[in-house]
Amino acid sequence: MKKIEKLYEGKAKVLYTTEDENLLIQYFKDEATAFDGKKKGIIENKGILNNSISSHLFRRLEAQGIKTHFVDMPGEREMLVKKLRIIPIEVVVRNVVAGSLAKRMGLEEGTPLKETIIEFYYKSDPLGDPMINAYHIKAFGLATLDELKEMETSALKVNRFLTEFFDSVGITLVDFKLEYGVHKGEILLGDEITPDGCRLWDKQTKEKLDKDRFRRDLGQVSEAYELVLKKIMDQPKGKRA
Ligand code: ADP
Ligand code: UDP
């Protein structure tokens, strides 16, 4: 399947149409942004690493019966996906206090949560992705209550699987962001699952293996992404989550 026409260029990926009107190619770039696009940079080979990480995780989620947009990985930076009407909500799932939650609640990063927290943010760059709740989602027609329930159920399933999966390769899944969309009337998990949108900490050393290395100028950014890929690919067969 070849790329035909650029449909959209975002901060980290480009979407292309294909010969099949139901399918798109997501092209993963090396560009990285943080703080609502105010910080910009390049993480060498990020596009290649993120495409591999995300494709691997989507395959594993599909095997668990979780519906995703993933179809194939035809190239090192290319993911073939089902075309979605993206629901403009970022679904954030948290297992450990970090980032904006630590700030908002005045808690130390690394505090484990007794229960998983799901948060919703309105996907809008000009507004800086404000936090919203189910009332906003319903009142502003961002999604129906049924769609919201479906996204929540899926996000919790994704969290259960990924937490165990990452744990089995020595990584703590601290938090992550998911996006959903509609394809032929079905809600599918879209976008990507990569160290750009997840907080991944080495279980033993607590070393950050994600975009916080870029956000906080910690160095060794692509090395950390590479390590994540290596760890998830090296997972021993007997230990499959
Ligand atoms: P951003 O738009 O935030 O800068 P990206 O650079 O990652 O982000 O661009 C990818 C865009 O493609 C995102 O806006 C995302 O919502 C959208 N997207 C992800 N998967 C699909 C899909 N299967 N169909 C249509 N759009 C998608
Ligand atoms: N996240 C993301 N895109 C966003 C905002 C957050 O992928 O626009 C991810 C982020 O990488 C982290 C989780 O969602 O894994 C929670 O992020 P948080 O709310 O703590 O915000 P941040 O500290 O990134 O500003």
Side-chain angles (χ1 to χ4, degrees):
M1 195 74 66
K2 277 196 282 270
K3 305 196 281 286
I4 294 188
E5 194 193 338
K6 194 191 275 191
L7 193 63
Y8 171 84
E9 175 149 12
K11 299 184 291 297
K13 302 191 288 299
V14 189
L15 294 179
Y16 293 92
T17 58
T18 66
E19 299 117 71
D20 186 332
E21 59 173 11
N22 292 309
L23 301 178
L24 298 177
I25 285 178
Q26 282 204 118
Y27 178 91
F28 286 72
K29 305 191 284 185
D30 288 347
E31 272 98 333
T33 61
F35 312 121
D36 298 326
K38 286 191 240 14
K39 184 179 168 105
K40 286 195 178 81
I42 299 279
I43 301 175
E44 219 172 307
N45 288 329
K46 174 171 82 90
I48 297 170
L49 297 165
N50 274 358
N51 189 29
S52 293
I53 294 169
S54 203
S55 295
H56 186 78
L57 295 177
F58 277 133
R59 281 196 189 102
R60 301 296 296 257
L61 291 171
E62 284 282 347
Q64 299 294 311
I66 293 162
K67 290 182 211 154
T68 81
H69 68 161
F70 179 81
V71 178
D72 196 9
M73 194 183 110
E76 61 176 7
R77 288 176 183 272
E78 292 174 4
M79 186 191 289
L80 186 66
V81 297
K82 292 175 184 164
K83 184 176 184 172
L84 299 177
R85 173 180 56 78
I86 289 285
I87 296 171
I89 300 172
E90 299 195 338
V91 181
V92 168
V93 183
R94 301 181 182 273
N95 299 306
V96 177
V97 175
S100 70
L101 180 64
K103 265 202 191 138
R104 198 177 330 116
M105 299 301 289
L107 292 169
E108 206 169 316
E109 280 208 320
T111 313
L113 288 165
K114 284 201 193 83
E115 277 184 46
T116 298
I117 292 177
I118 294 192
E119 295 170 349
F120 304 111
Y121 294 85
Y122 176 43
K123 197 174 141 58
S124 162
D125 278 340
L127 298 176
D129 299 342
M131 193 179 185
I132 51 173
N133 65 28
Y135 287 92
H136 300 97
I137 291 171
K138 213 176 134 215
F140 296 119
L142 304 180
T144 65
L145 272 191
D146 282 348
E147 287 171 337
L148 190 59
K149 269 195 201 134
E150 218 179 299
M151 287 190 277
E152 261 183 25
T153 307
S154 165
L156 288 172
K157 245 184 172 174
V158 170
N159 186 44
R160 270 196 298 274
F161 175 75
L162 288 185
T163 297
E164 206 181 312
F165 176 71
F166 277 117
D167 185 78
S168 75
V169 300
I171 293 175
T172 303
L173 177 60
V174 171
D175 58 30
F176 57 99
K177 183 264 298 178
L178 300 175
E179 288 184 30
Y180 288 88
V182 183
H183 177 85
K184 296 184 178 173
E186 259 196 328
I187 297 210
L188 306 180
L189 176 61
D191 208 49
E192 62 178 286
I193 305 180
T194 66
D196 269 9
C198 301
R199 283 197 170 91
L200 304 167
W201 294 355
D202 184 287
K203 231 164 82 175
Q204 251 78 52
T205 65
K206 308 274 191 236
E207 195 189 357
K208 296 182 199 316
L209 303 174
D210 55 61
K211 202 163 96 174
D212 274 346
R213 300 202 73 82
F214 170 75
R215 292 189 189 100
R216 303 178 190 188
D217 294 321
L218 301 176
Q220 307 276 306
V221 189
S222 33
E223 288 81 356
Y225 283 50
E226 224 167 280
L227 189 62
V228 171
L229 177 62
K230 185 178 180 302
K231 280 179 184 267
I232 67 174
M233 299 310 283
D234 281 355
Q235 193 206 29
K237 281 219 160 55
K239 277 198 171 177
R240 276 182 193 261

